[in-house]
Amino acid sequence: MQVSDALAVLRPLAADVDFFELRWMRRSHEQLIVRQDVVEPPRLIEDAGFMLTVYQGGAAGYAATADTSRTGVEQAFQTAKRRAELSRGWSVTHYSADHLQKQTGRFRSPIQKPWEKVPLRDKIDLLRELCRDLKKDDARFVDHQAQLHLRRWDMRLVNSLGTDIEQTFDMVNPNLSVTVHDKGVTEMRSMNGQAACRQGGFEVLDDMGYRDAAHKIHEEALELLYAENCPTGLMDLLIAPDQMILQIHESIGHPLEIDRILGDERNYAGTSFVRPDMFGHYQYGSEHLNVTFDPHRDQEFASYHFDDVGTRAEKTFLIQKGLLLAGLGGQLSQQRSGLPGVANARSVSWNRPAIDRMANLNIEPGPHSLNDMIAGVERGIHMQTNCSWSIDDSRNKFQFGCEYARLIEKGQLGRVVRKPNYRGISASFWRNLTKVGNAGTSDILGTAYCGKGEPNQAITVGHASPACLFSAVEVFGGEG
């Protein structure tokens, strides 16, 4: 059954409810992997279904179904209605459509070269070629692989107010990685960790330098294999974009989710050190820190025009000149908390409700070139590519590890060191931000696997960031 047919079925059934919403979603995930020159079986996963939401008497109920027949839609609606009736008087807030507006619109990821126009054989041949470049018949390379992932999400949202929104997202996630070993030492090097994520078509691979990355990864893996261990001490830390995204994600993004601040996530993923009374008053970082929710940036992984409850998405400063201004909360969380938020009620599937999620969360570029930032450091370290992370359940104390680092000594980029790590406290770390790189130091990256909610929702998130320089950071090396 098409969405328009389902809507015709629902209208007479919904005559006595305050509000109803129908969200249809079809998901497709294609995964291609060549590992150690062997082609793994290609994977293609597809599913589709409806999510029905009903407001009745100040309460909400929802139900999902993969049965898109008339009977399936009718049963899902009756289930959602019954759940709303059972929830009446027990809800944490008053559910009403009064704050919702009718919206209509369309969005499609910008695509120059459609994924399906490239033959499967050509994609596999590319992965084979890159695998050969990663290893180059060197016995020290004990593992190497090249991967391509495409996610396509088609969505349509309609409701009783007349909202009708269609959005299609093509999300490309390439990866390259090697593991090397010699004389008891093992190191790994990859292409941005798992952060190489953009919206678009097959052209994304060239935009991200995918075809040229294998040689660099090969050489840097060997550098790490024979490098000294990272030193320990308090020093300046220059963080590359492919590590900055994890820093933004964990110590700005999750703490600013309004439903987490309200306590909704405490049983699963923890709370936040941020309190409601901090907004508009709290100095989150130095004057150089400007953080935006930006759903309209071309190619970024979580760009869209509307969130999954139909709120129009606009670029918003969450932190400006270090001052905390707004949180990551959709319309419902804004209504519950009275806090300023954004259009970020998102769902990973037709069988999950929309909750507060990060989307495109970015640091705005500053005035400094990479050379300028390096030149100003007397003793420091430049870290790239996240490989491990740990943060407490209030998203405050953290410890991150990176794949690759080079020391900075007297304004010069020096020798490579391995197993670099650093730790800090969110509430003070960002106040030590001393320089922010310009657009030339920036990259558009993200993650495909941000987990949150019960049942879990692993959703796509975009992060764009320049390189950033921090002072007086606790740096240390790993074992071995």
Side-chain angles (χ1 to χ4, degrees), residues 287-358:
E287 63 180 0
H288 308 294
L289 181 63
N290 293 288
V291 180
T292 56
F293 164 82
D294 189 356
H296 296 300
R297 183 158 184 173
D298 282 349
Q299 292 193 317
E300 200 162 352
F301 217 37
S303 289
Y304 52 84
H305 285 175
F306 304 89
D307 71 6
D308 293 347
V309 298
T311 307
R312 187 176 294 274
E314 303 292 347
K315 181 177 179 178
T316 304
F317 274 86
L318 306 184
I319 299 171
Q320 192 165 31
K321 294 184 177 179
L323 184 65
L324 177 60
L325 300 177
L328 287 168
Q331 289 236 15
L332 181 60
S333 288
Q334 294 172 45
Q335 177 187 349
R336 289 173 58 192
S337 66
L339 297 173
V342 295
N344 73 316
R346 304 175 62 210
S347 171
V348 73
S349 172
W350 55 270
N351 59 13
R352 295 289 188 270
I355 58 177
D356 292 346
R357 301 307 303 261
M358 272 180 275

Side-chain angles (χ1 to χ4, degrees), residues 33 53 56 79 92 104 107 114 140 148 174 179 223-224 269 289 303 312 348 351 353 363 366 370 377 383 390 455 478:
I33 300 175
T53 302
Q56 179 74 335
T79 299
V92 296
T104 58
F107 174 84
R140 294 169 293 183
L148 290 175
T179 303
E223 288 179 332
L224 288 171
L289 181 63
S303 289
R312 187 176 294 274
V348 73
N351 59 13
I363 288 185
L370 191 65
V377 174
M383 294 193 190
S390 176

Side-chain angles (χ1 to χ4, degrees), residues 207-430:
D207 293 342
M208 300 194 80
Y210 184 61
R211 300 170 192 269
D212 301 323
H215 174 73
K216 182 179 180 182
I217 291 169
H218 176 97
E219 297 301 321
E220 290 182 348
L222 293 178
E223 288 179 332
L224 288 171
L225 193 57
Y226 303 110
E228 297 176 4
N229 203 26
C230 175
T232 295
L234 210 62
M235 63 185 75
D236 289 349
L237 172 62
L238 179 58
I239 305 180
D242 60 0
Q243 169 60 25
M244 277 302 303
I245 67 157
L246 210 288
Q247 188 70 59
I248 297 165
H249 188 97
E250 298 293 349
S251 67
I252 292 181
H254 281 309
L256 294 191
E257 291 164 343
I258 294 179
D259 59 352
R260 185 186 297 269
I261 294 170
L262 293 173
D264 293 1
E265 284 282 301
R266 66 166 66 97
N267 288 336
Y268 181 57
T271 57
S272 172
F273 74 91
V274 176
R275 303 185 309 272
D277 61 2
M278 290 180 174
F279 288 88
H281 308 286
Y282 182 67
Q283 196 68 27
Y284 206 102
S286 75
E287 63 180 0
H288 308 294
L289 181 63
N290 293 288
V291 180
T292 56
F293 164 82
D294 189 356
H296 296 300
R297 183 158 184 173
D298 282 349
Q299 292 193 317
E300 200 162 352
F301 217 37
S303 289
Y304 52 84
H305 285 175
F306 304 89
D307 71 6
D308 293 347
V309 298
T311 307
R312 187 176 294 274
E314 303 292 347
K315 181 177 179 178
T316 304
F317 274 86
L318 306 184
I319 299 171
Q320 192 165 31
K321 294 184 177 179
L323 184 65
L324 177 60
L325 300 177
L328 287 168
Q331 289 236 15
L332 181 60
S333 288
Q334 294 172 45
Q335 177 187 349
R336 289 173 58 192
S337 66
L339 297 173
V342 295
N344 73 316
R346 304 175 62 210
S347 171
V348 73
S349 172
W350 55 270
N351 59 13
R352 295 289 188 270
I355 58 177
D356 292 346
R357 301 307 303 261
M358 272 180 275
N360 289 346
L361 185 64
N362 307 331
I363 288 185
E364 296 295 299
H368 300 284
S369 69
L370 191 65
N371 287 338
D372 176 38
M373 290 190 285
I374 292 171
V377 174
E378 182 68 18
R379 178 175 181 267
I381 188 167
H382 181 211
M383 294 193 190
Q384 301 177 40
T385 317
N386 180 264
C387 65
S388 67
W389 65 95
S390 176
I391 193 162
D392 69 18
D393 62 1
S394 64
R395 301 287 157 166
N396 200 12
K397 297 178 182 178
F398 61 80
Q399 177 175 302
F400 295 141
C402 294
E403 288 182 10
Y404 186 87
R406 294 181 67 180
L407 297 180
I408 305 173
E409 299 168 310
K410 297 181 179 180
Q412 298 290 325
L413 204 58
R415 64 187 186 277
V416 174
V417 293
R418 59 189 178 90
K419 301 193 185 313
N421 302 269
Y422 67 98
R423 60 171 63 99
I425 299 174
S426 301
S428 58
F429 177 82
W430 291 102

Side-chain angles (χ1 to χ4, degrees), residues 109-135:
S109 298
I111 295 174
Q112 298 175 21
K113 189 174 185 180
W115 184 265
E116 58 272 15
K117 296 293 185 181
V118 180
L120 177 61
R121 178 180 293 277
D122 291 356
K123 297 169 188 170
I124 296 296
D125 286 346
L126 171 62
L127 296 179
R128 286 179 183 272
E129 178 185 346
L130 292 175
C131 258
R132 288 193 294 269
D133 290 343
L134 286 171
K135 185 177 180 181

